[in-house]
Amino acid sequence: MLFGRSKRKPIKIPEKKVQEWKYTTCNYCSVGCSIEIGLDADKKIVTTRGHAGADVNRGKLCIKGLLEHELFTSPGRGTEPLIRERYFDKFEKTTWDHALDTTASKIKEIQAKYGRDSFAVVSTGQLMTEEFYTLGKLTRGCIGTNNYDGNTTLCMASAVSGYKRSFGSDGPPGCYDDFEHTHCLMAFGSNLPEQHPIIYWRLKEALEKRKFPLIVIDPRVTMLAQFADIHLPITPSTDCVLINSMMHVIFKEGLHDEAYINAHTQGVEELKALVADYDPKIAQHACGIDEDTIRNVARIYAKAPAAMSIWTMGINQSTHGSDGVANINNLNLVTGNIGKPGGTSLSITGQCNAMGTREWSSCSGLPGYRALENEHHRKEIADFWGIDPEFFPKKRGLAQTDIFPAIETGEIKGLWLVATNPMTSMPNLPRIRKALEKLDFLVVQDVYEDVETNQYSHVYFPAAVWAEKQGCHTNTERRVNLISNVLPPYANSKPDFWIFNQMAKRFENGKVIHFPEDTEEAFEEMKHLSAGADRTLDISGMTYEKIIAGRGIQWPFRKGSEGVKGDPRLYTDGKFQTPSGKANLIPIRFINNNEQPCNDYPFWLNSGRVVEHFHTRTRTGKIGNCNKFSPTPYMEMNPDAAHELGIMHQTYVRLTSRRGDAVVMVQLTQRVPRNMVFIPFHFHDCVNRLTLGLLDPYSRQPAFKQCSVRIERIEAANQAEAARINFESRNF
Ligand code: SF4
């Protein structure tokens, strides 16, 4: 008699008949996996696989990378430029010349009437670095508006701000290899298995080789929290209290690294004075973690020979985002955990090339981490581009989150959105909708013409995607990797690089500034601008060939560097990018300024990513298996809270906040505490109808994760109608 497996037929995966593999890099998240695209005998793309020789992913991919080849021909791709007089008219197809001419003349008309800054540009973290550099040239050097930002303000601005305040410069100082060396890892608001699956796999592999404590700080029992040795279910947005209290214990018990603090930091006395107020006995009441646990984790962290912190949106998307990052840096500086193997402050970045936009797009400054506020930097770039330095503003303009209120007040009249979808991604969507309707002129440049924000545009530019172009990305650990051009752009879409170059020709300075014809030449310009002994962001030793040979190279990689490996860590010599060369210890006092649960709105609303989807689902929502595994807007709710309200598993409920309402399906789970609900942020008419999005004062990043809602049961007779509303908020 046959039992079990021997009776079953093995699963057969259909033969893909791959004839050739082409090297490229994933275009979704910031992990930066190396991918090979498989082409059949007819040069048709049939599959993707992880590159086995790549340091980052060692042959592995998550579900998004495995199915990435399906996005080239997925529904909704833009085929031709579109134009219309008013946003509610019907779009007409037009030529590229007409679309570009109309846009250029509208920009000039608005600027002539209302001033240069009345036209704003909002970019993304999705383009190639060379495209960011070129967009920066166009926006800063030709159009000349100071209201220019990236959607990275929604995800990484607090990390940038915190790094600059602590270390004098942006740039994550650590790398994935630190998992192999650390003796303690503390993860703040970072759910690696769903957000960054391949980094999680790297961490798990390191833990299998050598056990070390994993401490997870998150109000929700995330997948990472389930694997943790210690989970701290913290009260939302009180990380600063917890860290201050840990430092209180560390100083009081003499566990700090006195030698490192004296040699490489400044401000320790002010920091000590502040954290003296954060005795765990008192702090426990604010952060919701009991005093013994605070002491325990402080001792584990400080006594570890090397300890590291990672964080993601749980820290950044908060009114204390920048402070949270600076305080994590404080913790690592006082314990001597910066710039050594296994000892670091590593922000896990969001979008595939959020780092590239930080480095080269000129959104918040000038190329190569240069500052608009620095006269020498303005002159350096103006001389290189061949324009008058006075053309540049002397300080940064509005962030993305301030651009929309400026539309409301009439300060901004025109807007160009590049690969960003604020009608799904911004908090308080009812307000964003009204702002977009108020614009005199909106141009949307995107791979997909059915992206929600395009409903409000006057001109649409169809853009090429991923391996339809060539250029670089920089990942979370400062690794520059290459996307090869594997196939031509879809229909009459064009690479963003081409679109920026063509637009530049329509402006006066576009005739003065050199705009290279191909991305490799733009990369050479960036290399030139990066070279310098005092610069951490130095890519002058890289070439496209070397990048492919190394499967990505970490910066700094200076001219004359041997081989194909860059520096894995920054600040190994304890010298920082501040004027004194010492890192700043910054006292962070906690101010409780978020919207809180109350009688009318008794639940915290938390949001985040699920593994199958990326951002606003413009791509993953159309890829069969990504969508199939997570098709519906849902809400995690604690069974005890549901029982009190008479709410059943898998029924529909209405959520209401002070901004709006949304209909979601209930998933009962102990992952969330009794006074909190969690909703994935990817779906269109859903969580951001409810969010408030108060802004961090330094980074201007919104607090997506801290607002309050109430939950209303929908009667059985109305469940079918609720299901229809819920279905429509999927966007397609
Ligand atoms: Fe792409 Fe990120 Fe998945 Fe790697 S982990 S395959 S970079 S989405």
Side-chain angles (χ1 to χ4, degrees):
M1 196 172 170
L2 291 171
F3 292 99
R5 287 183 181 182
S6 52
K7 271 178 75 177
R8 290 191 197 137
K9 288 187 183 147
I11 296 166
K12 276 195 183 155
I13 298 172
E15 173 65 60
K16 296 281 176 45
K17 297 195 171 62
V18 174
Q19 293 290 313
E20 188 185 1
W21 293 99
K22 295 259 192 174
Y23 182 83
T24 190
T25 306
C26 182
N27 194 218
Y28 281 115
C29 89
S30 69
V31 177
C33 297
S34 291
I35 288 190
E36 288 182 302
I37 297 181
L39 296 102
D40 68 10
D42 300 325
K43 300 281 175 204
K44 207 170 136 248
I45 290 174
V46 287
T47 190
T48 43
R49 70 178 184 189
H51 195 296
D55 278 351
V56 167
N57 52 315
R58 302 170 185 172
K60 298 225 171 1
L61 295 175
C62 79
I63 181 172
K64 295 186 286 291
L66 284 170
L67 300 172
E68 202 159 353
H69 59 285
E70 293 183 18
L71 64 81
F72 294 113
T73 51
S74 57
R77 289 278 323 248
T79 55
E80 299 287 341
L82 303 174
I83 197 161
R84 59 188 166 190
E85 192 65 31
R86 296 166 304 177
Y87 76 84
F88 44 82
D89 293 338
K90 200 167 167 300
F91 265 134
E92 304 282 343
K93 284 184 183 168
T94 186
T95 62
W96 271 105
D97 270 341
H98 185 52
L100 289 160
D101 285 343
T102 306
T103 302
S105 66
K106 274 286 181 188
I107 294 172
K108 289 175 192 171
E109 184 187 311
I110 288 170
Q111 289 186 314
K113 203 163 164 190
Y114 303 105
R116 270 186 11 196
D117 293 341
S118 61
F119 188 85
V121 179
V122 176
S123 167
T124 177
Q126 298 292 132
L127 306 185
M128 318 287 177
T129 314
E130 298 82 347
E131 294 175 327
F132 285 134
Y133 172 65
T134 307
L135 176 60
K137 253 184 186 176
L138 170 66
T139 308
R140 291 265 176 235
C142 302
I143 297 174
T145 176
N146 196 18
N147 292 327
Y148 166 44
D149 196 25
N151 67 10
T152 39
T153 290
L154 306 186
C155 58
M156 295 317 301
S158 294
V160 175
S161 162
Y163 276 143
K164 283 183 180 168
R165 289 165 71 199
S166 299
F167 305 145
S169 172
D170 185 18
C175 58
Y176 308 155
D177 192 49
D178 282 320
F179 299 148
E180 308 278 340
H181 302 279
T182 196
H183 292 261
C184 177
L185 189 140
M186 196 172 259
F188 291 87
S190 178
N191 184 18
L192 288 180
E194 293 212 72
Q195 294 161 348
H196 301 92
I198 299 301
I199 299 185
Y200 170 64
W201 169 72
R202 290 283 303 267
L203 169 64
K204 214 160 160 271
E205 200 183 54
L207 276 165
E208 277 163 14
K209 284 189 213 153
R210 186 181 50 84
K211 182 68 192 124
F212 53 84
L214 171 62
I215 302 167
V216 172
I217 296 141
D218 204 302
R220 180 171 163 248
V221 189
T222 59
M223 278 194 205
L224 189 64
Q226 289 173 39
F227 293 113
D229 298 293
I230 303 175
H231 172 220
L232 310 186
I234 194 167
T235 301
S237 197
T238 61
D239 307 81
C240 290
V241 178
L242 173 69
I243 298 169
N244 280 345
S245 193
M246 285 176 67
M247 288 192 286
H248 175 102
V249 175
I250 288 168
F251 282 124
K252 193 167 176 190
E253 299 186 6
L255 301 174
H256 56 287
D257 187 335
E258 186 99 32
Y260 188 89
I261 292 170
N262 290 341
H264 304 300
T265 72
Q266 53 200 13
V268 70
E269 291 311 321
E270 293 84 344
L271 181 67
K272 272 186 184 169
L274 179 114
V275 301
D277 295 343
Y278 287 78
D279 190 306
K281 274 194 174 68
I282 299 161
Q284 63 179 347
H285 300 296
C287 68
I289 307 300
D290 70 88
E291 58 174 309
D292 286 343
T293 304
I294 296 176
R295 287 195 191 93
N296 188 27
V297 295
R299 288 169 191 151
I300 292 171
Y301 201 83
K303 287 181 183 174
M308 65 186 287
S309 314
I310 61 168
W311 72 92
T312 317
M313 295 311 136
I315 290 289
N316 291 343
Q317 290 179 339
S318 158
T319 47
H320 310 103
S322 175
D323 277 353
V325 174
N327 227 12
I328 290 171
N329 295 338
N330 284 340
L331 175 67
N332 287 313
L333 288 165
V334 301
T335 52
N337 278 308
I338 294 291
K340 73 180 186 192
T344 194
S345 270
L346 183 63
S347 77
I348 308 289
T349 312
Q351 299 181 71
C352 53
N353 203 15
M355 281 292 293
T357 195
R358 282 153 67 168
E359 296 158 6
W360 292 103
S361 74
S362 309
C363 276
S364 59
L366 289 167
Y369 287 157
R370 288 176 175 83
L372 283 161
E373 292 77 6
N374 184 316
E375 187 183 351
H376 174 65
H377 288 175
R378 292 197 303 273
K379 184 163 174 2
E380 254 186 316
I381 296 299
D383 288 351
F384 186 70
W385 288 352
I387 59 172
D388 183 349
E390 288 303 310
F391 193 74
F392 294 140
K394 295 185 176 57
K395 62 175 190 180
R396 174 191 182 167
L398 298 176
Q400 181 192 359
T401 42
D402 292 312
I403 284 173
F404 287 92
I407 297 169
E408 289 173 346
T409 60
E411 190 186 333
I412 285 173
K413 300 285 188 186
L415 178 63
W416 183 356
L417 295 172
V418 182
T420 189
N421 186 17
M423 263 315 296
T424 299
S425 61
M426 284 287 285
N428 199 350
L429 286 179
R431 193 173 164 189
I432 300 301
R433 186 190 311 273
K434 283 190 194 136
L436 291 174
E437 284 174 351
K438 196 165 186 278
L439 283 166
D440 288 359
F441 184 71
L442 173 65
V443 54
V444 167
Q445 176 171 329
D446 203 284
V447 172
Y448 294 95
E449 71 179 48
D450 60 0
V451 63
E452 289 80 19
T453 308
N454 204 22
Q455 291 171 36
Y456 302 90
S457 74
H458 301 84
V459 171
Y460 166 69
F461 294 156
V465 72
W466 189 34
E468 293 173 353
K469 314 184 282 186
Q470 181 188 42
C472 292
H473 282 173
T474 309
N475 78 350
T476 286
E477 55 171 3
R478 293 169 284 102
R479 188 181 296 271
V480 178
N481 213 340
L482 192 78
I483 292 181
S484 310
N485 184 191
V486 177
L487 75 170
Y490 181 76
N492 195 19
S493 65
K494 298 285 183 192
D496 301 84
F497 187 77
W498 181 91
I499 298 170
F500 302 144
N501 272 354
Q502 297 306 311
M503 186 60 80
K505 290 180 183 161
R506 288 157 169 86
F507 286 82
E508 273 311 302
N509 278 359
K511 293 168 191 130
V512 179
I513 302 173
H514 174 61
F515 280 80
E517 286 298 314
D518 66 63
T519 52
E520 198 160 2
E521 197 188 332
F523 191 71
E524 289 300 317
E525 283 195 12
M526 291 154 49
K527 281 166 61 177
H528 176 84
L529 288 171
S530 78
D534 60 340
R535 227 170 256 292
T536 52
L537 172 51
D538 188 334
I539 58 169
S540 57
M542 296 184 193
T543 61
Y544 279 7
E545 291 71 32
K546 281 190 176 184
I547 291 170
I548 293 183
R551 317 293 177 219
I553 301 175
Q554 287 168 282
W555 60 254
F557 189 76
R558 302 181 197 284
K559 198 170 181 179
S561 298
E562 299 287 328
V564 290
K565 297 256 181 234
D567 284 352
R569 295 174 190 89
L570 300 181
Y571 314 128
T572 48
D573 57 359
K575 273 186 72 182
F576 294 86
Q577 298 276 299
T578 56
S580 66
K582 292 190 170 193
N584 296 314
L585 290 169
I586 304 166
I588 305 290
R589 189 167 292 285
F590 175 68
I591 300 162
N592 196 355
N593 57 0
N594 277 301
E595 187 176 67
Q596 306 274 326
C598 60
N599 284 342
D600 289 341
Y601 301 95
F603 290 88
W604 284 107
L605 172 61
N606 188 359
S607 68
R609 196 192 283 174
V610 295
V611 67
E612 297 86 2
H613 287 303
F614 196 72
H615 288 187
T616 66
R617 289 170 78 248
T618 49
R619 287 179 283 174
T620 52
K622 292 155 177 166
I623 289 182
N625 277 332
C626 287
N627 201 38
K628 189 171 88 183
F629 292 131
S630 191
T632 307
Y634 66 90
M635 173 183 85
E636 290 182 358
M637 183 178 190
N638 184 286
D640 296 338
H643 181 71
E644 267 173 29
L645 297 175
I647 290 168
M648 308 287 285
H649 186 55
Q650 289 191 346
T651 58
Y652 293 95
V653 293
R654 180 183 304 284
L655 255 73
T656 311
S657 76
R658 292 181 177 87
R659 275 70 57 194
D661 65 347
V663 174
V664 288
M665 181 189 271
V666 173
Q667 185 183 92
L668 296 185
T669 169
Q670 298 283 359
R671 275 182 165 197
V672 283
R674 201 177 173 127
N675 66 344
M676 178 182 288
V677 294
F678 170 88
I679 302 180
F681 63 51
H682 310 280
F683 297 91
H684 169 50
D685 252 340
C686 195
V687 73
N688 284 329
R689 288 167 64 96
L690 306 160
T691 47
L692 168 58
L694 291 174
L695 300 181
D696 178 281
Y698 295 94
S699 66
R700 312 306 287 159
Q701 182 156 351
F704 280 103
K705 291 171 174 289
Q706 297 100 35
C707 73
S708 58
V709 291
R710 70 166 170 261
I711 304 168
E712 291 160 24
R713 196 158 59 98
I714 296 176
E715 296 307 324
N718 297 325
Q719 284 283 320
E721 174 62 4
R724 188 191 61 75
I725 295 169
N726 178 265
F727 184 82
E728 283 180 358
S729 57
R730 295 169 43 169
N731 23 353
F732 311 112

